Amino acid sequence: MKTFQLALLKWYDNHARILPWRDNPTPYRVWVSEIMLQQTRVDTVKPYFEKFIKNVPDIQALAILPEEELLKLWEGLGYYSRAMNLKKAAILITEQFGGQIPSDVDKLKTLPGVGAYTSGAIASISFDKSVPAIDGNVLRVISRLTANQGDIIDKTVKREIEQNLIQLLPSARAGDFNQALMELGATVCVHGGSPKCEACPVQSFCAGYDQGIAAKLPVKGEKKARRIELKTVCIISYQDLYAIRQRVDSRLLANLWEFPLLEGHLSIQECTEELKKWGITVDKIVPLTNAKHIFSHLEWHMIGYFITAIHITEHPALIWVTKKHIEQQYSIPSAFKKYKDILKD
Ligand code: SF4
């Protein structure tokens, strides 16, 4: 066990990538980075993390940050509920934990958006607690190391892997050990059936390698197919203003702004009639490019129209803003990137 720990930690000391959150791993920086890294690639997160920390340097600043500014800082990163949970958690930390992020895993788990993995990551990396932090990379590495052929979607298999990891954790440098496993998964024991075993520091301990089955692991059951929703995006211009509205759906992209979005793929005539109900008289309507956006559980297949209006009446759901306002003030999620880019042109 000791030899395994030393081999992995030595490799980590020499090979860890330089990442902005690794330098000075305070609880706040680790927390923000771990939330940003959920479902998001390291290279995408780096500039967002640096900008976020520069603008919102601590819990207190986050607790009082206006929602619009928070969403603007998060714009393009996706999964916006993460940002809203960060703020809710900052308020809770201020009110219940004296403004300090707790070191205890159970207390950490009471924070909105913080689950088993994130609490383990904060407690081990920032407070050096000997607790596991199991993300997708770690699941894969441990399942290969132990030649576990169970389905990793299965909760029992996940628990088995967690138990394996708990036994492997050192009492000191647990945070580095967890990060070393994640790093190994990200750079050597990579997903996609081609682990780089020849470069692996723990190859001699690996049952999956030994049995020649590493590339086939982990076993992963079929995921449910994503639901497909058809949408029509309307970029409506009136003089030099454009219509946007705030989303009310509390589960998906809640509170963010969007170009008016209609259900289904509407024809030019259907779209014109629909807009008439909103008090918008269409002068010209031009089809735009199609776009697709993939969420974890559903896909939006979008068509779009650029609409020039000759008459508008006030509508409670719409506001009319300039291109500059859209660029600087309102957070429009990346689902609409193709359509937002059209305004830039
Ligand atoms: Fe992964 Fe190969 Fe290393 Fe085993 S030997 S942990 S399969 S990279």
Side-chain angles (χ1 to χ4, degrees), residues 141 144-145 184 188-190 195-197 200-203 206 208-209 214:
V141 173
R144 285 174 176 168
L145 277 170
L184 191 72
V188 177
C189 194
V190 291
K196 301 171 188 167
C197 302
C200 180
V202 289
Q203 188 204 79
C206 182
Y209 176 78

Side-chain angles (χ1 to χ4, degrees), residues 142-177:
I142 302 290
S143 76
R144 285 174 176 168
L145 277 170
T146 56
N148 190 324
Q149 296 183 56
D151 180 351
I152 54 161
I153 303 279
D154 188 329
K155 278 193 183 137
T156 326
V157 177
K158 274 190 184 164
R159 262 199 299 274
E160 246 174 65
I161 290 179
E162 187 183 10
Q163 286 311 313
N164 293 144
L165 178 54
I166 289 171
Q167 282 165 19
L168 287 173
L169 274 174
S171 49
R173 294 194 70 192
D176 284 345
F177 185 84

Side-chain angles (χ1 to χ4, degrees), residues 217-247:
L217 299 176
V219 173
K220 217 174 182 180
E222 285 292 302
K223 261 191 172 177
K224 253 173 70 184
R226 290 190 201 96
R227 194 173 75 242
I228 291 175
E229 293 185 354
L230 305 182
K231 307 274 180 190
T232 300
V233 181
C234 302
I235 300 189
I236 312 167
S237 76
Y238 177 67
Q239 297 172 355
D240 59 350
L241 299 175
Y242 296 86
I244 57 171
R245 66 177 179 185
Q246 196 163 24
R247 286 182 62 79

Side-chain angles (χ1 to χ4, degrees), residues 108-119:
L108 283 164
K109 280 189 202 158
T110 64
L111 303 175
V114 176
Y117 164 73
T118 311
S119 58

